[in-house]
Amino acid sequence: MDNIKAMLIILVVLGHLLELFLKSGNVKTVYKIIYAFHMPLFIFISGYFARFNLKKIISGILIPYMIFQTVYIIYVNYILDVEKDVKFTYAQPYWIMWYMMAMMVWSLSVPLISKGGRKTHLMMIAVSLAASLAVGYIHEIGMKFTLSRIFVYFPFFIMGHYFSDIIKDEEKKSKLIGFYHEHKRLISMISAVAFGVAVGLIAAYPKKLSYVWLYECAPYSVSHETAVIRLAHFVVALVSIMYFYLLIPNIKFGIMSKLGAKTKGVYLCHGFVVLALKDMAGLM
């Protein structure tokens, strides 16, 4: 898990740095490939580790959100001094802070999504998926309270949480590992081919695929996305999640494993550097 988290935080930082060079077609293609899967996978892992603990939600998510939301707005308005001031508010997370607000909501939902057995869990996934597709038709749901992303990415959080339940149950875990080893070649081949096809399609049709769709932060009427496109994004993300779980080694990996244990700090702080570079490049 730490190895995957390390890879993902590197991709998060890289993705934000690539925004400095989006006028280049090749850079834009790489950017779209990263955004097709890196946040769904990050949220899947967030769901895997999520536990309902009100004190930790307050100290580990709410308080950092309040602090960094404040600091980022001050940084942009008074230190970088951009032409258009950012409105001082806690209702609409600034840029990368959307993840912290979403994590707070998802973490509070853990007692609800943990109820019931297998059938209830499958129904939860189905309902959350239907809601994530339907919410795009509601014009009022967008960036405020990061509601769009909360709904859109919720299925990945739920699936990650249920995956942790499987891993904690020794009998289920043994069956899952046994099934994997029994069909290892087939599973690896299918996931690699599917991931390759997804990447190939993004590279082959760069002009038809808008990277704005992959942000999942606005209703369809604003992003010009459709429910079918969003569903396709989900399929690509799920294939990628499976592929990277098979690809990343399950061993201690030196600096990578250590980095994976400190992703929250990197996530919250890297934005200051990226914003400064954007300001110098005249992109703010």
Side-chain angles (χ1 to χ4, degrees), residues 230-262:
R230 182 167 289 177
L231 185 60
H233 182 195
F234 285 174
V235 172
V236 170
L238 284 172
V239 166
S240 302
I241 287 169
M242 183 167 71
Y243 180 64
F244 276 95
Y245 261 99
L246 299 177
L247 186 69
I248 303 299
N250 186 26
I251 56 172
K252 285 289 182 184
F253 217 60
I255 294 173
M256 284 288 284
S257 297
K258 290 178 181 178
L259 175 63
K262 303 181 185 299

Side-chain angles (χ1 to χ4, degrees), residues 136-209:
Y137 293 106
I138 304 172
H139 185 76
E140 291 76 17
I141 293 183
M143 294 177 122
K144 195 165 186 179
F145 296 108
T146 200
L147 281 175
S148 179
R149 282 165 165 159
I150 286 172
F151 278 103
V152 172
Y153 290 128
F154 195 31
F156 297 102
F157 181 87
I158 292 175
M159 286 186 283
H161 190 67
Y162 292 161
F163 185 64
S164 73
D165 289 341
I166 293 172
I167 297 301
K168 284 187 291 184
D169 187 310
E170 286 301 322
E171 185 179 346
K172 290 178 181 178
K173 182 180 176 181
S174 296
K175 286 182 180 179
L176 181 65
I177 292 172
F179 179 83
Y180 169 67
H181 284 295
E182 188 178 348
H183 305 283
K184 185 175 181 179
R185 286 187 178 180
L186 182 62
I187 292 170
S188 299
M189 184 179 69
I190 290 172
S191 61
V193 169
F195 182 74
V197 168
V199 170
L201 288 172
I202 293 171
Y205 301 101
K207 292 182 179 178
K208 292 184 179 180
L209 174 64

Side-chain angles (χ1 to χ4, degrees), residues 5-272:
K5 284 165 67 182
M7 180 206 71
L8 286 172
I9 198 62
I10 289 169
L11 288 177
V12 167
V13 175
L14 177 61
H16 288 149
L17 289 173
L18 289 178
E19 291 176 10
L20 298 165
F21 310 100
L22 286 181
K23 290 182 180 179
S24 166
N26 291 333
V27 171
K28 195 178 286 187
T29 299
V30 174
Y31 183 79
K32 289 173 185 176
I33 291 169
I34 290 173
Y35 270 77
F37 72 88
H38 80 312
M39 284 315 298
L41 180 47
F42 216 119
I43 291 158
F44 181 90
I45 292 175
S46 298
Y48 181 91
F49 287 108
R51 301 292 179 268
F52 180 77
N53 184 316
L54 198 54
K55 286 184 179 179
K56 286 187 177 180
I57 292 171
I58 292 170
S59 63
I61 304 176
L62 176 59
I63 292 175
Y65 170 76
M66 301 292 283
I67 292 171
F68 278 87
Q69 174 78 351
T70 303
V71 174
Y72 267 113
I73 293 173
I74 292 171
Y75 181 69
V76 172
N77 287 345
Y78 301 106
I79 298 176
L80 298 183
D81 195 22
V82 297
E83 290 182 11
K84 187 178 180 181
D85 284 350
V86 175
K87 185 180 177 183
F88 197 93
T89 176
Y90 295 103
Q92 185 165 312
Y94 178 71
W95 191 33
I96 61 173
M97 297 311 298
W98 72 265
Y99 173 74
M100 298 299 287
M101 180 170 277
M103 267 304 299
M104 187 162 45
V105 175
W106 294 329
S107 298
L108 290 171
S109 76
V110 167
L112 174 65
I113 64 176
S114 299
K115 289 182 177 180
R118 185 179 176 184
K119 288 183 179 179
T120 304
H121 292 175
L122 287 173
M123 185 183 73
M124 284 277 192
I125 294 171
V127 170
S128 68
L129 179 59
S132 67
L133 296 175
V135 78
Y137 293 106
I138 304 172
H139 185 76
E140 291 76 17
I141 293 183
M143 294 177 122
K144 195 165 186 179
F145 296 108
T146 200
L147 281 175
S148 179
R149 282 165 165 159
I150 286 172
F151 278 103
V152 172
Y153 290 128
F154 195 31
F156 297 102
F157 181 87
I158 292 175
M159 286 186 283
H161 190 67
Y162 292 161
F163 185 64
S164 73
D165 289 341
I166 293 172
I167 297 301
K168 284 187 291 184
D169 187 310
E170 286 301 322
E171 185 179 346
K172 290 178 181 178
K173 182 180 176 181
S174 296
K175 286 182 180 179
L176 181 65
I177 292 172
F179 179 83
Y180 169 67
H181 284 295
E182 188 178 348
H183 305 283
K184 185 175 181 179
R185 286 187 178 180
L186 182 62
I187 292 170
S188 299
M189 184 179 69
I190 290 172
S191 61
V193 169
F195 182 74
V197 168
V199 170
L201 288 172
I202 293 171
Y205 301 101
K207 292 182 179 178
K208 292 184 179 180
L209 174 64
S210 171
Y211 60 79
V212 177
W213 296 343
L214 303 174
Y215 294 160
E216 303 294 10
C217 62
Y220 300 144
S221 58
V222 174
S223 68
H224 306 295
E225 190 187 7
T226 65
V228 173
I229 292 169
R230 182 167 289 177
L231 185 60
H233 182 195
F234 285 174
V235 172
V236 170
L238 284 172
V239 166
S240 302
I241 287 169
M242 183 167 71
Y243 180 64
F244 276 95
Y245 261 99
L246 299 177
L247 186 69
I248 303 299
N250 186 26
I251 56 172
K252 285 289 182 184
F253 217 60
I255 294 173
M256 284 288 284
S257 297
K258 290 178 181 178
L259 175 63
K262 303 181 185 299
T263 52
K264 186 164 77 172
V266 177
Y267 183 85
L268 289 171
C269 294
H270 84 281
F272 295 110

